[in-house]
């Protein structure tokens, strides 16, 4: 084990030496995916995951480990007058650790995830000038993304700090290269229309050319590197339709997931098949934080297809995602559907069924923190491993490969599917003769008959499926529905006479 300690913090040497053995029992976890970050007594401690064998080889002969690079880069930034949390120590071993002072800045650029800039113009301009200072100092952050830029106001001045700085480049940053450095940021075009003149003025360049280069870089980057956290320039609106019936406990858990979406839906329509007043009260409770609309019909038995049609008629968005009251979305759920939306197609996603006890035990913090979507966390809470849990993997290349290889058809799954509203209207919506069983597949069949084909997102766009009974299922309805579906398939029907 190798330890490098900032001389200013030599009094912490004993604690630092024991950190690999005590890390899991100290402080508060604030981030946990491949790496884990804990706040411990005013210090921020990041434990890096064990590097893969090819990275270990690279770190041994070609480049320094991440913790060492982050520590040394912090020293360089501070010497150049660029804000970053003060480095305390780094440890190299079976796991590497980076220790810094906890930043006093409390905000980051995730604030711009919803595209709202009103009242924040001064922040954007100050950030542009800060970035110009960074680039003029010959410093380029190679992961200049929203979570790595901290800011806050002290007195009348905006202050900025950079974090996750193991990937930096030091050397001359040309004006064009500087403009390209903004490519990872969230925001709509108007965000960059405010940022670019301030940056251009600070670097003595043409403002129109600056905006052109920024938009050019963003278009190229997001085409080559589609990312679950990207908020686009919104060329179309997107809505979510949630079918529900008398289960506000489950529906609230879905709302918790929707609150954390990196790309918020423009509207969320609750297609209510006759629930009592508890569901209405829940919708009222969350209407101030989510764009909810309640479409209700009288309880006359299972009539999901009828209420879904009414929800579609009430929808105003160009593109619609369908889920049920028992399906909790991961924070990238809406953005994944948005990113894969293509004309002539619908998107077919997947879900992971949770055990009954775990379904009830899930808390708001479990869902909103993202812990519930971690395979490690699920196993720790009693869910045995099965291959379907691989749907939770986030590696884009692996998910693309699995979506290509899976033998499952990219069919319309009512619990996780999306398409353009115009296609739903053209197909006349859902067949209202059908009760529970294959009603979603029959609708999907009509889309396919019209030449609208499925895009497989079984992996990488998961929903957590809460356990529940199905008392409304019966053999007679199932047989009748299958007969309708087969008729649609055999006669190549593209619309129903029993829908919208």
């Amino acid at each position: 084990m190798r330890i490098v300690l900032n001389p200013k913090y030599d009094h912490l040497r004993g604690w630092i030496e024991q950190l690999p053995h005590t890390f899991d029992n100290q402080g508060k976890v604030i981030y946990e995916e491949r790496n884990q970050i804990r706040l411990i007594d005013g210090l921020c401690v990041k434990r890096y995951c064990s590097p893969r064998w090819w990275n270990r080889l690279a770190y041994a002969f070609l480049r320094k480990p991440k913790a060492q690079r982050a520590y040394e880069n912090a020293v360089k930034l501070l010497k150049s007058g660029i804000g970053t949390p003060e480095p305390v120590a780094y440890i190299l071993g079976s796991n590497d650790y980076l220790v810094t002072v906890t930043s006093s800045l409390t905000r980051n650029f995730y604030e711009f995830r919803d595209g709202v800039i009103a009242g924040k113009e001064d922040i954007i301009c100050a950030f542009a000038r800060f970035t110009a200072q960074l680039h003029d100092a010959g410093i380029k952050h190679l992961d200049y993304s929203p979570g790595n830029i901290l800011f806050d106001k002290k007195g009348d001045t905006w202050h900025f700090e950079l974090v996750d700085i193991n990937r930096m480049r030091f050397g001359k940053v040309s004006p064009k290269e500087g403009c390209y450095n903004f490519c990872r940021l969230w925001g709509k075009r108007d965000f960059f229309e405010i940022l670019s003149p301030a940056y251009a003025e600070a670097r003595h360049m043409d403002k129109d050319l600056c905006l052109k280069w920024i938009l050019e870089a963003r278009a190229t980057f997001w085409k080559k590197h589609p990312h679950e956290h990207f908020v686009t320039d919104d060329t179309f609106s997107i809505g979510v339709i949630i079918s529900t019936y008398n289960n506000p406990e489950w529906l609230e858990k879905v709302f918790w997931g929707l609150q954390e979406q990196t790309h918020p839906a423009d509207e969320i329509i609750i297609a209510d098949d006759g629930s009592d007043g508890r569901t209405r009260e829940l919708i009222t409770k969350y209407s101030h934080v989510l764009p909810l609309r309640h479409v209700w019909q009288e309880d006359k038995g299972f009539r999901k297809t009828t209420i879904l049609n009414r929800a579609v008629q009430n929808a105003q968005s160009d593109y619609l995602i369908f889920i049920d009251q028992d399906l909790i979305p991961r924070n990238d759920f809406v953005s994944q559907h948005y990113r894969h939306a293509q004309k002539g197609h619908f998107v077919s996603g997947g879900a992971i069924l949770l055990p009954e006890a775990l379904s009830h035990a899930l808390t708001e913090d479990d869902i909103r923190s993202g812990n519930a979507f971690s395979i490690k966390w699920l196993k720790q809470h009693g869910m045995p491993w099965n291959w379907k849990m691989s749907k939770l993997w986030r590696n884009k290349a692996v998910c693309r490969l699995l979506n290509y290889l899976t033998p499952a058809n990219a069919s319309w799954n009512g619990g996780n599917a999306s398409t353009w509203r115009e296609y739903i209207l053209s197909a006349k919506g859902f067949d209202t003769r059908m009760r529970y069983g294959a009603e979603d597949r029959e609708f999907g069949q009509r889309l396919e008959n019209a030449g609208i084909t499925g895009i497989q997102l079984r992996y990488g766009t998961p929903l957590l499926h809460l356990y529940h009974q199905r008392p409304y299922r019966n053999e007679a309805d199932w047989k009748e529905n299958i007969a309708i579906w087969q008729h649609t398939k055999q006669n190549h029907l593209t619309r129903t006479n029993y829908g919208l």
Side-chain angles (χ1 to χ4, degrees):
M1 183 171 69
R2 178 188 174 195
I3 296 176
V4 171
L5 180 63
N6 184 335
K8 179 179 176 181
Y9 295 94
D10 192 62
H11 61 284
L12 295 177
R13 181 173 297 276
W15 178 79
I16 294 290
E17 290 174 348
Q18 293 300 312
L19 186 59
H21 309 292
T22 61
F23 177 79
D24 287 322
N25 300 316
Q26 297 189 72
K28 177 185 177 183
V29 177
I30 62 169
Y31 179 86
E32 182 170 21
E33 285 194 16
R34 292 181 62 245
N35 308 316
Q36 186 181 108
I37 302 177
R38 288 177 177 262
L39 296 182
I40 306 173
D41 297 330
L43 299 177
C44 181
V45 184
K46 181 174 185 177
R47 179 174 65 190
Y48 294 88
C49 67
S50 298
R52 299 180 176 91
W53 68 267
W54 54 86
N55 282 331
R56 288 197 298 271
L57 189 64
Y59 296 154
F61 299 103
L62 301 177
R63 58 180 177 175
K64 298 175 182 178
K66 291 181 179 179
Q68 181 179 354
R69 281 183 277 146
Y71 179 97
E72 293 176 353
N73 288 343
V75 173
K76 293 179 182 179
L77 290 180
L78 292 173
K79 285 183 177 179
S80 299
I82 303 298
T84 192
E86 185 177 21
V88 175
Y90 69 86
I91 304 171
L92 303 182
S94 55
N95 282 102
D96 295 345
Y97 295 81
L98 174 69
V99 184
T100 68
V101 173
T102 300
S103 175
S104 63
L105 307 186
T106 60
R107 300 165 67 179
N108 61 44
F109 270 68
Y110 286 139
E111 285 194 16
F112 294 93
R113 70 175 64 192
D114 59 4
V116 176
I117 62 172
K120 299 180 179 180
E121 293 84 354
D122 59 335
I123 303 172
I124 300 171
C125 291
F127 168 66
R129 291 189 289 269
F130 166 79
T131 307
Q133 177 191 356
L134 182 75
H135 292 161
D136 283 341
I139 302 169
K140 182 179 179 183
H141 195 321
L142 299 181
D143 189 7
Y144 209 42
S145 53
N148 294 337
I149 305 162
L150 308 182
F151 71 95
D152 219 330
K153 199 169 190 178
K154 295 183 178 181
D156 296 327
T157 306
W158 290 104
H159 292 261
F160 299 87
E161 289 185 357
L162 304 180
V163 296
D164 201 4
I165 55 173
N166 59 281
R167 295 177 61 227
M168 308 286 290
R169 187 174 67 77
F170 298 88
K172 182 179 179 180
V173 180
S174 69
K176 184 174 185 179
E177 190 177 7
C179 291
Y180 272 46
N181 202 198
F182 292 111
C183 67
R184 294 173 181 261
L185 294 180
W186 294 356
K188 300 181 183 180
R189 182 186 175 100
D190 53 2
F191 175 95
F192 298 97
E193 288 175 341
I194 295 172
L195 181 148
S196 57
Y199 180 81
E201 181 181 8
R203 298 208 73 192
H204 310 291
M205 60 183 296
D206 182 80
K207 65 180 182 179
D208 293 329
L209 182 60
C210 179
L211 178 61
K212 174 180 179 293
W213 280 342
I214 291 173
L215 298 180
E216 176 182 282
R218 284 168 54 73
T220 301
F221 179 83
W222 292 113
K223 183 177 181 179
K224 291 184 177 179
H225 306 282
H227 194 287
E228 62 270 20
H229 295 313
F230 176 48
V231 176
T232 72
D233 292 328
D234 280 354
T235 56
F236 60 88
S237 55
I238 190 162
V240 176
I241 293 179
I242 308 173
S243 61
T244 190
Y245 175 72
N246 273 339
N247 199 335
E249 179 187 359
W250 271 197
L251 184 59
E252 185 170 29
K253 295 176 189 284
V254 177
F255 287 171
W256 295 338
L258 288 171
Q259 283 181 268
E260 295 303 311
Q261 294 302 300
T262 58
H263 184 138
D266 296 286
E267 62 178 348
I268 301 171
I269 301 174
I270 312 303
D272 189 345
D273 193 12
S275 299
D276 58 34
R278 295 172 299 159
T279 297
R280 186 175 299 277
E281 291 173 4
L282 180 70
I283 293 170
T284 300
K285 175 182 175 182
Y286 282 89
S287 289
H288 71 289
V289 291
L290 290 170
L292 300 176
R293 294 220 311 278
H294 190 194
V295 179
W296 180 89
Q297 67 185 11
E298 186 180 355
D299 185 359
K300 294 184 179 179
F302 186 93
R303 294 191 297 152
K304 180 179 178 181
T305 52
T306 301
I307 195 61
L308 286 179
N309 285 345
R310 290 189 58 191
V312 171
Q313 287 176 315
N314 277 269
Q316 299 173 0
S317 297
D318 302 310
Y319 193 84
L320 298 175
I321 306 172
F322 291 78
I323 63 174
D324 295 330
Q325 67 182 9
D326 51 16
L327 295 165
I328 303 173
R330 194 169 69 184
N331 67 345
D332 61 336
F333 176 74
V334 173
S335 70
Q336 289 281 14
H337 277 270
Y338 187 103
R339 187 163 61 80
H340 287 87
Q342 298 180 33
K343 288 294 185 179
H345 297 278
F346 64 85
V347 170
S348 174
I352 298 152
L353 181 63
L354 300 184
E356 183 174 7
L358 182 54
S359 297
H360 284 283
L362 280 181
T363 68
E364 181 175 2
D365 182 65
D366 296 334
I367 294 167
R368 299 189 66 171
S369 68
N371 289 337
F373 297 90
S374 162
I375 295 176
K376 178 181 177 181
W377 187 92
L378 290 173
K379 290 168 67 177
Q380 289 174 341
H381 288 75
M383 185 167 175
W385 162 261
N386 65 75
W387 177 251
K388 290 185 178 180
M389 292 170 71
S390 60
K391 295 174 186 177
L392 291 168
W393 289 344
R394 286 181 177 266
N395 184 285
K396 294 184 287 293
V398 171
C399 289
R400 282 197 297 269
L401 178 62
L402 292 175
N403 282 324
Y404 176 77
L405 295 176
T406 179
N409 293 326
S411 57
W412 182 273
N413 302 310
N416 187 350
S418 62
T419 196
W420 303 92
R421 181 171 181 265
E422 63 182 283
Y423 296 164
I424 303 172
L425 296 176
S426 179
K428 298 299 182 182
F430 298 87
D431 192 313
T432 57
R433 294 174 296 172
M434 303 180 76
R435 294 185 178 270
Y436 177 78
E439 72 279 2
D440 48 354
R441 299 302 176 87
E442 190 277 337
F443 168 73
Q445 186 66 57
R446 280 185 274 124
L447 293 181
E448 293 181 26
N449 290 346
I452 301 164
T453 57
I455 295 174
Q456 182 65 272
L457 284 188
R458 183 180 178 85
Y459 297 89
T461 313
L463 293 164
L464 297 182
H465 189 175
L466 300 169
Y467 179 87
H468 63 92
Q469 300 288 342
R470 291 181 171 82
Y472 40 78
R473 179 172 183 167
N474 67 78
E475 192 66 23
D477 286 345
W478 179 262
K479 289 181 178 179
E480 183 176 347
N481 286 0
I482 292 298
I484 294 172
W485 179 16
Q486 291 300 318
H487 178 77
T488 296
K489 187 174 183 178
Q490 292 168 4
N491 291 277
H492 304 287
L493 301 181
T494 59
R495 59 184 60 194
T496 177
N497 294 324
Y498 302 90
L500 291 170

